[in-house]
Amino acid sequence: MDSVCETEGCGKPSKLRCPTCVKLGIPGSYFCSQECFKGSWKTHKGIHAIKMPAKNPNQTPQEALLSSSKWSGFPFSGPLRPWPVTPYRPVPEHIPRPDYAETGQPISEQQAKRVGKIRVLNDEEIEGMRVVGKLGRECLNVAAEACQAGVTTDEVDRLVHEAAIERECYPSPLNYYNFPKSLCTSVNEVICHGIPDTRPLENGDLCNCDITVYHRGFHGDLNETLFIGEVDEKSRHLTQIAYECLMKGIETVKPNAKFRDIGNAIQAHAHANGYSVVKSYCGHGINSLFHCAPNVPHYAGNKAAGIMKVGNTFTIEPMINAGSWRDVSWPDDWTAVTQDGKRSAQFEQTLLVTETGCDILTKRRDHDGLPWFMDRK
């Protein structure tokens, strides 16, 4: 017998089941439409509590998280575990924001993707990119100063969030496809898109801080891998080579160069030093849109389209792994980790193609532009 909608008085043939009931193994829970499901929610959700195990008062918040239906039984590839995430931090109304800030959906980006055109910016737009690149760098400097053993990545997020607002910037990651925080913090085996949480950083960690800010209509994007306390020699070497891979890629940037050739330079240097290059994530165009054409893969033999022109702005951001290049995703739908649990390091800059090569719009303004990890050798 076919199932029917369980909304009182409906009785139509069912087309969907409550996803929470499916996860919890609760039988039935059929509905004919989203409208019926939503209309029954207030009474229906009560059966979830019946099936849920009682909270253990002796559990820490992290233990409770790991025993939840989302995380219980997940085969982590390395030693890192998620910790509780604090609530969304609001942005004052007077701060201009991108189109996804309220809905989570970057409509203008999605529309531009269908066209795939690589924009050439005019002088006014280039000046906007220079300004936002400088402001993004200032926010990353705040994160780098804060990243110490005992400090949570959530605290780093708070400081970066406030630094962005002080500079009249919107923190671009916030609510981008519903991302819950103002920067990405990727620790140890996390490749990218780590969500800041309440785990204190530990002596010996690597922590990548990936920051983008939106200011007066433009985005500026950069990241660095930082040393937390005394880091082992293998992690130091991995980080050094990851930075060198970025610079090898930047050296290829000039008018009429092919975007696909960036990956050749990066992979050659990574492989020569015994490391692998992540293939699942790439650099991207950036301007008034957070992510747009061109795609900039970091591995050799890619088929990226396009020739560099004066006025193009884009990122290079190679992710270099100590072991396999392959990645897996955590159940939070964001955190990407190495398949084998070994460490990963990454650096990123936003670039402008010029007549003679390129300008690094997000470069560090002191220490000869060298990254923060070199201060802590």
Side-chain angles (χ1 to χ4, degrees):
M1 180 177 176
D2 293 334
S3 57
V4 296
C5 180
E6 295 178 17
T7 299
E8 186 175 354
C10 181
K12 293 180 180 178
S14 66
K15 295 181 180 179
L16 59 89
R17 288 185 68 193
C18 169
T20 303
C21 288
V22 173
K23 284 184 178 180
L24 295 174
I26 298 172
S29 304
Y30 292 101
F31 297 91
C32 68
S33 66
Q34 285 289 343
E35 287 71 24
C36 268
F37 180 40
K38 291 175 182 177
S40 302
W41 179 248
K42 286 186 178 180
T43 54
H44 171 76
K45 67 181 180 180
I47 68 174
H48 301 159
I50 298 172
K51 186 71 177 181
M52 291 283 191
K55 290 184 178 179
N56 183 344
N58 296 320
Q59 279 187 323
T60 66
Q62 193 212 12
E63 289 169 340
L65 175 70
L66 291 174
S67 64
S68 67
S69 59
K70 176 185 283 189
W71 294 98
S72 180
F74 180 72
F76 291 96
S77 65
L80 192 72
R81 297 292 183 271
W83 284 55
V85 175
T86 60
Y88 171 96
R89 290 188 169 92
V91 176
E93 289 297 325
H94 73 275
I95 302 290
R97 58 203 65 210
D99 63 355
Y100 56 81
E102 303 302 329
T103 66
Q105 296 299 309
I107 301 301
S108 55
E109 227 178 74
Q110 294 165 356
Q111 292 171 341
K113 187 176 182 180
R114 300 188 192 107
V115 179
K117 183 178 179 180
I118 303 172
R119 281 180 59 184
V120 173
L121 304 189
N122 61 35
D123 290 346
E124 183 178 352
E125 292 169 326
I126 288 170
E127 181 57 27
M129 288 297 293
R130 290 189 186 279
V131 171
V132 76
K134 178 177 180 292
L135 296 174
R137 165 53 64 178
E138 291 174 5
C139 290
L140 188 138
N141 291 346
V142 169
E145 289 175 348
C147 282
Q148 304 286 342
V151 176
T152 67
T153 50
D154 180 72
E155 174 65 6
V156 177
D157 177 79
R158 182 186 70 80
L159 292 169
V160 168
H161 185 89
E162 292 176 357
I165 290 169
E166 287 171 5
R167 291 161 176 80
E168 296 189 353
C169 296
Y170 181 91
S172 302
L174 188 62
N175 209 35
Y176 180 78
Y177 287 107
N178 305 123
F179 188 80
K181 290 295 178 181
S182 295
L183 82 158
C184 299
T185 50
S186 300
V187 177
N188 297 339
E189 69 265 27
V190 179
I191 295 170
C192 60
H193 302 158
I195 299 173
D197 60 24
T198 49
R199 174 190 180 271
L201 292 167
E202 298 179 359
N203 184 57
D205 282 345
L206 296 181
C207 181
N208 179 276
C209 290
D210 192 341
I211 289 172
T212 312
V213 296
Y214 178 81
H215 180 77
R216 298 182 180 177
F218 297 95
H219 297 270
D221 190 1
L222 72 161
N223 75 54
E224 290 193 19
T225 297
L226 306 163
F227 293 162
I228 308 302
E230 297 298 321
V231 175
D232 66 78
E233 189 54 42
K234 288 183 178 179
S235 296
R236 289 174 176 271
H237 188 255
L238 170 66
T239 303
Q240 176 70 40
I241 298 304
Y243 172 66
E244 291 175 6
C245 283
L246 169 66
M247 298 312 293
K248 293 288 185 183
I250 290 174
E251 287 171 5
T252 70
V253 177
K254 59 184 178 181
N256 299 315
K258 296 177 181 178
F259 286 105
R260 69 181 61 174
D261 289 343
I262 294 171
N264 296 336
I266 289 170
Q267 181 168 303
H269 191 64
H271 283 195
N273 285 277
Y275 298 122
S276 63
V277 180
V278 173
K279 297 182 179 181
S280 303
Y281 302 94
C282 61
H284 53 88
I286 185 168
N287 38 65
S288 59
L289 303 176
F290 192 176
H291 299 91
C292 57
N295 286 328
V296 185
H298 304 116
Y299 57 91
N302 69 79
K303 298 180 180 180
I307 302 294
M308 298 175 205
K309 297 179 181 179
V310 174
N312 291 156
T313 49
F314 59 93
T315 71
I316 300 178
E317 47 188 295
M319 289 140 273
I320 308 302
N321 291 353
S324 169
W325 63 266
R326 297 182 185 277
D327 63 279
V328 294
S329 295
W330 277 6
D332 61 16
D333 297 326
W334 280 105
T335 307
V337 298
T338 58
Q339 186 183 64
D340 54 15
K342 294 183 179 180
R343 290 189 168 189
S344 183
Q346 181 189 16
F347 291 85
E348 174 186 19
Q349 301 279 18
T350 294
L351 309 170
L352 165 70
V353 182
T354 66
E355 295 284 357
T356 57
C358 72
D359 286 350
I360 303 175
L361 302 181
T362 46
K363 68 180 179 181
R364 197 176 178 190
R365 266 54 180 186
D366 52 13
H367 292 73
D368 295 323
L370 296 174
W372 276 80
F373 81 90
M374 292 188 175
D375 299 356
R376 300 178 181 177
K377 283 189 174 182

